[in-house]
Amino acid sequence: MLFSDVAVLFDRIEKKSGRLEMTDILSSLFKRTDHTEIGKLVYIIQGILVPPYEGIDLGMGERFAMQAIASSAGYGFGEVEKNYKKSGDLGDSAETLLTKKKQTALSTTQMSVAYVYDSMIKIAKSSGTGSQDQKIKILTELLNNSSPLEARYIVRFVIGSLRLGVGDPTIIDALSFAASGDKSLREPLERAYNVCADLGFVAGFYDKPDRIAAFEVEPFRPLMPALAERENTPEAIVERLGECDIEMKYDGFRLQCHKSGDKVELYSRKLEKMTHMFPDLVAEIRKLKAETIIFEGEALAYDQKKKRYFSFQQTMHRRRKHDIEEASAELPLKLFVFDVLYLDGKDLTNEKYSKRRVKLEKLFHDDILMPSRSSRVSTSLELEKIFQESIKEGLEGIIAKDLNAPYTAGKRKFAWIKLKKSYGKAVDTVDGIIVGYYLGQGARAQFEFGGVLLAIYNSDSGRLETVAKVASGFSEEEMVELRAALEKIKTKEPPANLDFKIEVDFWVEPKYVVEAAFDEITESPNHTCGMHDGKGYALRFPRISRMREDKGIKEITTTDEVEKIFRMQGHPR
Ligand code: AMP
């Protein structure tokens, strides 16, 4: 597949916003793409080089990309900079400047998708002295062989701002259409993706339904973490699950731990490798009596003498301030293990929770790696009692587990149901992603920060929808810090996959997740969350309660959840 053909289709995708049209364009593209290239193409569409847990970063700053554009287009650096200031998009500038040059150029070599992708990998992998020159050289070569349109996308990709606005659900639909002409493969493809968190890898088998259906968990290929639904009373939980296990909900750092022999890797809930942050836990995991294992737990510090848990924030703060080794000695971590997903060559994700728990309790019983506290209940009264205990101990609440449910990778299903402190009372929270911010007015003007626009995720459409403009909750110091962080990720255009009705002073790359507390969900014509009859859902009296650095865009609250909270308030829909 020629990259020039792909660039033409990217241009068409950018001009369409309808999901059906995008699916159509992509499925015809996939059908024409060779098997050896399709994974690479899928990564490019996702705007990534490799799945996040492989930790390969392109490491190409804008200034280096500008140097490559300058030398390829035959302009001085200053001219590129000037054009970029005017256009606000370095990809557009590369296109404009190369258009002028191409009128006089003699010939170029046509590049395949694989060639472009492999060159990007080379850029990412060149390191050490002289590596920046090497990176610029490879990019210059790519641009020398590019049409202006190809250059637009190559440059945007290299600086991490491709933003085609195509969500993973659209890519999955397109793969299904390419293989079968309809959506029938969507579910197995989605499951395979959730099991390995690597859509490029899955795409390599997209037209082999047997292989997709038999996709299994493997050590060192992290799974998408299962997510919890919510209910607001013990009665509602027992009504739904009947007899169930009630576990303490620890407010720590979720870790997915993989071990094979002596090799151990730890992944965050965003599936980034965190092994280096937790040497104390790694050493303990190595000692486990299991050759290969994947399990999940919540890490947090616990003061044994005072019988007190440290919050996630306190735990991480200590770790950041001190040397990791020092912090490990001073503030020993515990890992409360709550699920086992793979054991000695066997994928356990399709086994019942109750069976997985039996295995878990056999494996974990020491002082550092310990099972999450769990009790079997069959009445709401028993549940309420444990919930109150958890609150007394300073925990967040409980998570109820369906005894018969498999592990629902990447999904918010009723296999896990959380009941948190605030439910049913005045305060509830959502995790939203910041998509833009406002300048201050009045007393706040000195900080030039007037709050943020928050969006949540519509998991059916793969789009972001706005739910609140939040201007309070943070101290002045925190606001200054947040504003500085947002300043660095300002963009000229709104995120391509955002549906919005209100404007902001500055759009930003959707990167930071915050927890926002609110009094209730109302309907508003200004927000697009769950838009129906011209009205969407909005948070009433929203305020930021904390940054959720551990959460990524895939873990934010979904439209379905917001709608559910709305219904829980007693509004039928
Ligand atoms: P939330 O982030 O509020 O949606 O709650 C779900 C999170 O609770 C999970 O992602 C885990 O990080 C965390 N958690 C704490 N304790 C448990 C537990 N016993 N079982 C499952 N998840 C837990």
Side-chain angles (χ1 to χ4, degrees):
M1 169 64 61
L2 291 179
F3 191 74
S4 52
D5 291 344
V6 171
V8 170
L9 293 182
F10 281 1
D11 184 48
R12 271 178 56 200
I13 287 175
E14 259 194 283
K15 291 183 179 134
K16 315 258 174 203
S17 62
R19 179 153 171 215
L20 286 180
E21 287 164 309
M22 286 188 189
T23 310
D24 218 33
I25 297 172
L26 286 181
S27 78
S28 65
L29 174 62
F30 292 150
K31 264 196 258 179
R32 289 188 287 133
T33 306
D34 194 79
H35 273 93
T36 54
E37 274 188 322
I38 196 154
K40 297 177 177 180
L41 179 57
V42 164
Y43 290 140
I44 294 176
I45 295 168
Q46 287 184 301
I48 58 176
L49 256 190
V50 288
Y53 55 86
E54 289 191 15
I56 302 179
D57 193 10
L58 257 170
M60 188 103 185
E62 283 184 355
R63 296 194 76 75
F64 295 115
M66 281 155 77
Q67 282 184 35
I69 297 169
S71 56
S72 172
Y75 283 93
F77 184 85
E79 278 165 296
V80 177
E81 203 172 23
K82 207 164 112 200
N83 191 292
Y84 177 32
K85 274 210 180 115
K86 208 166 76 193
S87 76
D89 180 319
L90 197 54
D92 288 350
S93 289
E95 184 178 8
T96 311
L97 297 172
L98 254 81
T99 306
K100 293 187 182 158
K101 173 200 164 171
K102 293 287 154 166
Q103 289 161 355
T104 55
L106 293 174
S107 69
T108 54
T109 318
Q110 291 208 311
M111 299 184 292
S112 66
V113 168
Y115 179 80
V116 172
Y117 177 86
D118 294 345
S119 303
M120 310 266 199
I121 291 279
K122 273 193 215 148
I123 293 180
K125 288 200 168 158
S126 51
S127 62
T129 35
S131 65
Q132 287 303 352
D133 287 345
Q134 182 66 14
K135 286 175 198 275
I136 294 169
K137 191 169 153 237
I138 302 169
L139 181 57
T140 308
E141 267 166 31
L142 276 178
L143 296 179
N144 284 344
N145 288 316
S146 298
S147 67
L149 192 62
E150 286 174 281
R152 184 205 291 173
Y153 294 109
I154 289 173
V155 167
R156 282 189 194 163
F157 186 88
V158 161
I159 61 167
S161 67
L162 183 62
R163 289 194 283 271
L164 285 174
V166 179
D168 291 344
T170 307
I171 302 177
I172 291 173
D173 277 357
L175 288 168
S176 175
F177 271 102
S180 63
D182 55 34
K183 278 193 188 172
S184 58
L185 287 174
R186 178 187 185 168
E187 227 180 276
L189 281 166
E190 197 179 20
R191 185 194 158 270
Y193 179 32
N194 282 332
V195 157
C196 71
D198 185 344
L199 196 49
F201 181 65
V202 172
F205 311 101
Y206 81 103
D207 55 353
K208 298 188 177 58
D210 293 347
R211 178 72 214 272
I212 292 290
F215 236 77
E216 290 214 332
V217 174
E218 263 177 59
F220 310 113
R221 256 186 211 290
L223 304 75
M224 299 275 204
L227 305 169
E229 283 280 358
R230 60 169 98 201
E231 287 288 3
N232 63 350
T233 62
E235 290 76 20
I237 293 180
V238 171
E239 194 177 310
R240 193 178 274 278
L241 300 182
E243 189 183 40
C244 56
D245 271 3
I246 303 301
E247 294 186 17
M248 295 292 155
K249 186 173 192 303
Y250 305 93
D251 180 19
F253 194 96
R254 183 174 183 166
L255 285 176
Q256 197 180 111
C257 312
H258 292 227
K259 168 188 187 288
S260 176
D262 263 354
K263 183 175 172 195
V264 172
E265 299 285 7
L266 307 182
Y267 305 94
S268 69
R269 62 188 294 157
K270 285 196 261 184
L271 304 185
E272 286 161 346
K273 241 184 229 174
M274 303 298 292
T275 321
H276 61 287
M277 287 282 287
F278 301 96
D280 35 357
L281 295 180
V282 170
E284 289 304 311
I285 293 169
R286 228 174 246 138
K287 291 187 214 155
L288 276 176
K289 287 200 176 66
E291 185 52 28
T292 51
I293 185 166
I294 304 176
F295 62 95
E296 270 194 306
E298 195 83 4
L300 72 160
Y302 181 60
D303 185 336
Q304 215 119 13
K305 273 194 224 128
K306 292 190 189 145
K307 295 223 173 326
R308 187 168 74 95
Y309 296 95
F310 285 86
S311 73
F312 163 75
Q313 241 114 355
Q314 287 165 319
T315 309
M316 293 321 282
H317 188 64
R318 293 287 288 260
R319 299 209 138 226
R320 235 175 268 137
K321 272 186 113 174
H322 300 272
D323 172 52
I324 290 175
E325 301 285 334
E326 206 180 293
S328 307
E330 211 185 299
L331 199 70
L333 282 186
K334 291 193 176 299
L335 186 69
F336 294 93
V337 182
F338 55 74
D339 220 320
V340 183
L341 314 174
Y342 182 94
L343 184 61
D344 290 336
K346 194 157 185 278
D347 180 347
L348 304 181
T349 54
N350 286 321
E351 286 199 0
K352 286 180 184 181
Y353 171 74
S354 54
K355 279 193 156 179
R356 300 200 303 277
R357 179 78 197 184
V358 171
K359 294 200 166 80
L360 186 156
E361 286 178 9
K362 272 197 199 136
L363 281 158
F364 300 95
H365 31 65
D366 81 15
D367 212 27
I368 296 173
L369 308 178
M370 51 204 293
S372 55
R373 224 162 81 212
S374 165
S375 331
R376 184 115 345 143
V377 306
S378 44
T379 66
S380 55
L381 228 59
E382 292 169 302
L383 197 161
E384 172 78 30
K385 198 167 149 257
I386 301 169
F387 176 69
Q388 293 307 339
E389 273 170 31
S390 82
I391 302 302
K392 233 182 266 155
E393 287 179 38
L395 293 168
E396 263 194 315
I398 55 97
I399 299 211
K401 308 268 168 108
D402 179 345
L403 298 176
N404 295 314
Y407 183 83
T408 50
K411 294 234 170 207
R412 205 176 285 286
K413 286 231 169 128
F414 283 96
W416 295 3
I417 307 177
K418 60 188 170 185
L419 180 66
K420 289 214 276 193
K421 226 176 355 215
S422 49
Y423 290 178
K425 304 221 183 88
V427 181
D428 203 341
T429 63
V430 296
D431 296 318
I433 198 148
I434 299 175
V435 290
Y437 68 95
Y438 298 90
L439 297 179
Q441 287 170 344
R444 281 227 179 100
Q446 57 172 312
F447 305 108
E448 289 188 62
F449 190 52
V452 296
L453 182 62
L454 271 197
I456 46 81
Y457 180 66
N458 185 324
S459 53
D460 289 333
S461 63
R463 299 189 60 82
L464 296 174
E465 299 173 344
T466 75
V467 73
K469 182 178 166 185
V470 195
S472 67
F474 262 21
S475 68
E476 281 167 5
E477 193 189 321
E478 284 168 322
M479 285 205 294
V480 170
E481 219 175 273
L482 179 58
R483 194 211 138 171
L486 294 176
E487 173 108 302
K488 290 202 188 108
I489 54 166
K490 271 198 293 198
T491 54
K492 196 175 143 220
E493 301 287 338
N497 60 342
L498 176 72
D499 292 330
F500 63 98
K501 295 242 168 224
I502 48 175
E503 293 287 337
V504 290
D505 290 323
F506 295 107
W507 295 109
V508 296
E509 197 184 301
K511 179 170 177 193
Y512 294 110
V513 176
V514 295
E515 183 183 278
F518 57 92
D519 285 4
E520 62 169 338
I521 306 281
T522 55
E523 289 176 305
S524 153
N526 294 331
H527 289 287
T528 51
C529 170
M531 201 78 187
H532 51 280
D533 310 325
K535 278 183 286 181
Y537 297 115
L539 310 184
R540 187 169 150 82
F541 297 131
R543 58 257 176 209
I544 298 178
S545 40
R546 57 174 167 161
M547 298 296 292
R548 288 299 309 242
E549 285 155 23
D550 59 321
K551 287 199 175 184
I553 196 161
K554 295 210 168 81
E555 284 87 35
I556 62 176
T557 302
T558 58
T559 305
D560 286 350
E561 276 188 280
V562 174
E563 184 166 1
K564 178 136 194 256
I565 305 172
F566 184 71
R567 275 190 273 113
M568 280 182 189
Q569 293 170 181
H571 302 281
R573 251 197 81 205

